[in-house]
Amino acid sequence: MSIKISETLTFECETGNYHTFCPISCVAWLYQKIEDSFFLVVGTKTCGYFLQNALGVMIFAEPRYAMAELEEGDISAQLNDYQELKRLCLQVGKDRNPSVIIWIGTCTTEIIKMDLEGMAPKLENEIGIPIIVARANGLDYAFTQGEDTVLAAMAHRCPEQENFIVNPQKSEKKSMENLISSLSIETEKIKQSLINRQNRFSLVLFGSLPSTVASQLSLELNRQSINVSGWLPAQRYTDLPILGNNVYVCGVNPFLSRTATTLMRRRKCKLIGAPFPIGPDGTRAWIEEICSVFGIDTQGLDEREQQIWESLRNYLNLVNGKSVFFMGDNLLEISLARFLIRCGMIVYEIGIPYMDKRYQAAELTFLQTTCKKMCVPMPRIVEKPDNYNQIQRMRELQPDLAITGMAHANPLEARGINTKWSVEFTFAQIHGFTNAKDVLELVTRPLRRNNNLENLGWTDLVREG
Amino acid sequence: MKLAYWMYAGPAHIGTLRVASSFKNVHAIMHAPLGDDYFNVMRSMLERERDFTPVTASIVDRHVLARGSQEKVVDNISRKDKQERPNLILLTPTCTSSILQEDLQNFVDRASTISDSDVILADVNHYRVNEIQAADRTLEQVVRYYLEKARRQGNLNLALTDKPSANIIGIFTLGFHNQHDCRELKRLLKDLGIEINQVIPEGGLVENLHQLPKAWFNLVPYREVGLMTAKYLEKEFGMSYISTTPMGVVDIANCIRQIEERINLLSPISLNEKVNYEPYIDEQTRFISQAAWFSRSIDCQNLTGKKAVVFGDATHAASITKILACEMGIRVSCAGTYCKHDGEWFKEQVQNFCDEILVTDDHTEVGDMIARIEPSAIFGTQMERHIGKRLDIPCGVISSPVHIQNFTLGYRPFLGYEGTNQVADLVYNSFTLGMEDHLLEIFGGHDTKEVITKSLSTDTDLTWNSESQLELNKIPGFVRGKIKRNTEKFARQNGVAKITVEIMYAAKEALNA
């Protein structure tokens, strides 16, 4: 098998036999992000076993999620699923008093065609707690796409902008009263919407980020005198941002294509297509794209970016000229590869579960220009990769680093290939200027470990034959 | 539907995969949606496995849902056959394939005509059995398949080995300390002059399975997996099996005596002399293992009558209960297991060694039981360890489910004579050290931390006045939480809202009465 490194971006699609996390894993970070939520995963023991093991010690901290474990009677419809879900949701309401219950539909609910979307509004009326349905199942999605399905469902629950904007002179007072009585949104928010109305636009960012990272990004935009009027999701369900046809939206993560589509088509928002704010290059491009949409000239961005690159110098010396192979499992791959190429690395292959060329258009273009700028060959992008084939290719290419799932990490290490566990990129803080260091901290860890263990003569630790 | 976020035993397919990946050169193909191959992560992480886990998925996606798997499963099987050349490919159904009700047997039949490997369909129903039962069943299925195959081909050799020999059945991947136990069992059998015919499934080759009947007897160390296989071999080939778990000094002796009996039954034919293991048992018990001596020593005296709670799988929970009660004089307030399917056996085993028995797979029930009993130490799974953390009660981990720290690099068997030492250490280190305990009580403790309020209940309807607060602070830290809870329990029962020193003493008296 010969492997050609191409001059243009090539897209391939393999068999889809690859390892990734089930998309229900999104509850792990979303329940922490949305403080007043409760996630109910409607599935089987298999789903529960995955969550229990994947989330490790989190499970012992009385998390705000649980399984509605389906039993044989549920599958064969001997039990009434509406009554069963009602019983569980009442219990959750009583024990935890959440502001919203999010039902995560799984493979099983798909196959037995359990009508979660139909039952939710009825049950919501009956028990008085909002219920959102997200079908984050392994039949359709991979890993981080779980968040995409939840946010897309949540986008429908954001308050409508018309309530505040239409006929501002006539019913301003009344709509304010409505607003306060019906939606319990703090005065701060109203003030913000007023400010943005004066500016004649508002900007909502979508994608779940730890609150510190979210405020870092908001602050970067503030420096360019852009006010972020809301985040989807917000820290609390009751603080969901206001949406409407005067609202611009921009994604912070590459796996949010359904959310983007929903925001555009159903909520009539205007999508700003930009590279994602991962790495200083990505962050700068992201801010520039947003500013250009609002007709704002950026200030001091160049210096800011240079300053960050300067602070990364020690890491860059380590990674310069080293090669990377992304096996692909979390959809952050394109952005990470683009950043690493800019850092001086050579990327052989970008495996990715699903490639939305429209939503990621700006990022793909940016990847291409980065390759040209750094004078490195374009990597091949492999959608729905086949792990078996990838390992064969890796044997031939012998990359300096493989970014891969935990299923392959130890076996590859035993064969002398350095690995970095890809899931860490989804849990670490990697967005914005400030966190560029964290990405490189992760990427260089195996390389630094090697420097420590050099010359011990035990890199290859499997017996021949 | 059941509200749950923790389970003691995993889904059925995990059991099948554990058996498949324990054998050498066996490949499992799961009929499952994307993301269900989490087993590979567990094996690679927990066992720190150097090799790729021989498990892949034939992915069930939207298209499969609409049109069925069609050629996909067969293609995946024959592809794996060419790539890896395994001896056996085991098609593994999951919860998803259980409800899709595709004719997987048909795929297997078709695939086996075109591939060099043997292909079988694991016979497990996701909704009827759990991980443990599925593992037991799959192991029996594989053994049966190869023995029947050998019989058909006429190369079944039923002659016993010249020297006494044994099969060890039920050692496998992700089992609790299985690797160490296996090494210890081999040593024990070697000491007894018994050869190891085969160890299955761990490290075994399916093509050698037809030689299983050559052994003189089968040893099934764990209750959970291997019994079905042993019973099958007994029925088909008249092989006797020993299922006494050699854990703890007493049961090791029991197990060895049973081995002696089996060998002496067959030995007139080939050995011409009988074996007598009594001197070996005596030597090991009194001088090699430290556990018997430990139970006589002053340290262990301090443990007398202390309360403990035991929870785990049937094998470990039963054995540890017996060790605590008979070999160390510790009072087991409650012994429990999550192996509901084996509840009767468990009850029979521990009946006379504990105050109460709990058979449940609901961790909240276990947590409530522990909170109610307030033992000095817990012996349980990782879940009980965390319950113990919240209640400030030490916990020794004695059974699956476990974390990576229970896959130790060092040698830590639970079985055999070395196992007795390990168990003794574990038990002793879990209780607050005896003399330290005593001294702390005399001198009023060495910490002056704020009162510990950790408890499973969140009642805050009671107030402590300043004198009682001071009095509480004088109590040694490790029992303070318990005294506080007892006092509050007493106050609540008697409708008292404000706790004074008098109430504290009244509570103490009421408790002693």
Side-chain angles (χ1 to χ4, degrees), chain B residues 406-430:
Chain B
N406 303 106
F407 290 87
T408 56
L409 299 172
Y411 187 50
R412 300 242 192 291
F414 270 63
L415 304 186
Y417 285 108
E418 177 54 28
T420 62
N421 296 337
Q422 298 291 341
V423 172
D425 276 344
L426 181 77
V427 171
Y428 185 57
N429 293 338
S430 297

Side-chain angles (χ1 to χ4, degrees), chain B residues 136-328:
Chain B
D136 200 13
R137 197 176 286 245
T138 304
L139 183 58
E140 191 251 14
Q141 196 189 352
V142 173
V143 168
R144 181 191 291 265
Y145 178 86
Y146 278 97
L147 285 170
E148 278 170 9
K149 186 179 171 190
R151 186 178 273 157
R152 273 200 312 276
Q153 293 174 343
N155 57 6
L156 200 56
N157 183 357
L158 293 176
L160 292 185
T161 53
D162 295 339
K163 283 190 180 161
S165 64
N167 297 318
I168 301 177
I169 300 177
I171 304 288
F172 67 145
T173 190
L174 292 172
F176 184 74
H177 292 246
N178 271 201
Q179 312 296 338
H180 309 296
D181 283 348
C182 183
R183 209 168 113 193
E184 187 64 22
L185 286 178
K186 282 180 181 168
R187 195 169 85 174
L188 179 70
L189 292 174
K190 188 168 166 259
D191 283 354
L192 301 176
I194 297 166
E195 285 175 352
I196 308 289
N197 184 47
Q198 280 186 35
V199 178
I200 58 165
E202 185 63 47
L205 279 165
V206 284
E207 47 194 9
N208 292 342
L209 286 178
H210 68 275
Q211 298 195 8
L212 279 175
K214 291 170 77 82
W216 288 31
F217 66 95
N218 291 317
L219 181 60
V220 183
Y222 311 110
R223 184 80 201 153
E224 284 71 28
V225 180
L227 271 185
M228 272 184 86
T229 310
K231 281 177 185 156
Y232 163 76
L233 292 170
E234 183 180 49
K235 186 165 159 268
E236 288 293 314
F237 305 99
M239 295 180 76
S240 60
Y241 66 89
I242 292 160
S243 62
T244 301
T245 303
M247 195 188 311
V249 177
V250 174
D251 273 350
I252 296 173
N254 284 339
C255 182
I256 295 177
R257 287 188 188 111
Q258 286 172 40
I259 293 174
E260 181 184 285
E261 199 180 304
R262 303 299 148 87
I263 290 177
N264 287 340
L265 208 66
L266 297 170
S267 62
I269 313 159
S270 23
L271 283 186
N272 295 323
E273 57 175 333
K274 295 210 167 189
V275 291
N276 177 12
Y277 292 142
E278 286 306 327
Y280 176 78
I281 295 173
D282 185 60
E283 170 76 9
Q284 290 286 332
T285 304
R286 291 201 294 141
F287 304 110
I288 307 298
S289 158
Q290 299 294 314
W293 157 235
F294 171 71
S295 60
R296 286 294 303 178
S297 73
I298 297 299
D299 284 327
C300 198
Q301 212 178 75
N302 285 329
L303 300 183
T304 307
K306 290 225 172 193
K307 279 202 287 184
V309 160
V310 181
F311 195 84
D313 63 22
T315 303
H316 289 87
S319 293
I320 294 288
T321 301
K322 285 187 263 183
I323 292 172
L324 292 177
C326 316
E327 295 178 20
M328 294 182 176

